[in-house]
Amino acid sequence: MGAKTISKASITAEAAQAVIRAAEAKAVEIGVPMVIAVVDESGVLKAFSRMDGAALLSVDIAQDKAYTAAAFGISTDTWFNFIKDDPPLLHGIVKTPRLIVFGGGYPLQVDGANVGGIGVSGGHYEQDMVVAQAGVAAL
């Protein structure tokens, strides 16, 4: 009879806070207030920051970017190229709750294991990507 449980790697609270701090520093450097969310491997919020002046709408978008990245193990900016030439997928998958198909969300990996995701919102998605990449680099 097989095992009845599995073990999963997950980002620690300390590591999640380090990712947030690095992303915040990059947001300050580029002069754009951001919302930054870090989720664990299951897409559950682990750390969060809404910088002063960051848009209210960005709160949910950042969390959904992090969720999308953790759920599929790919960056959110990869989604559009994946679906753009496939009409059924393009018009169907985008109705999936919490799925974001533009930049600013990245999976977080440690030793090859997906341990969570980061999502950033507050600027143009290209700015969001730069800030999120700074968070990824801190891990």
Side-chain angles (χ1 to χ4, degrees):
M1 178 168 258
K4 304 223 186 275
T5 63
I6 62 169
S7 296
K8 295 191 280 185
S10 186
I11 192 167
T12 65
E14 181 180 335
Q17 289 298 327
V19 169
I20 293 279
R21 286 190 301 274
E24 284 179 325
K26 180 56 84 172
V28 168
E29 180 184 312
I30 68 170
V32 180
M34 298 281 190
V35 176
I36 305 153
V38 173
V39 299
D40 66 15
E41 82 294 342
S42 296
V44 177
L45 189 63
K46 189 78 173 195
F48 179 83
S49 174
R50 180 179 178 209
M51 297 173 70
D52 293 340
L56 177 59
L57 185 61
S58 292
V59 171
D60 287 339
I61 294 171
Q63 291 179 70
D64 289 351
K65 285 180 180 184
Y67 177 87
T68 298
F72 291 99
I74 61 174
S75 62
T76 56
D77 62 291
T78 352
W79 271 98
F80 184 73
N81 285 332
F82 181 69
I83 65 175
K84 70 179 180 178
D85 296 322
D86 187 339
L89 195 55
L90 176 63
H91 296 289
I93 195 78
V94 294
K95 292 178 174 56
T96 302
R98 304 195 69 188
L99 176 69
I100 301 292
V101 297
F102 51 89
Y106 292 91
L108 296 172
Q109 298 183 334
V110 174
D111 298 328
N114 188 23
V115 299
I118 182 174
V120 174
S121 181
H124 184 274
Y125 67 82
E126 290 178 351
Q127 293 169 310
D128 297 350
M129 291 169 69
V130 168
V131 171
Q133 289 166 355
V136 170
L139 192 57

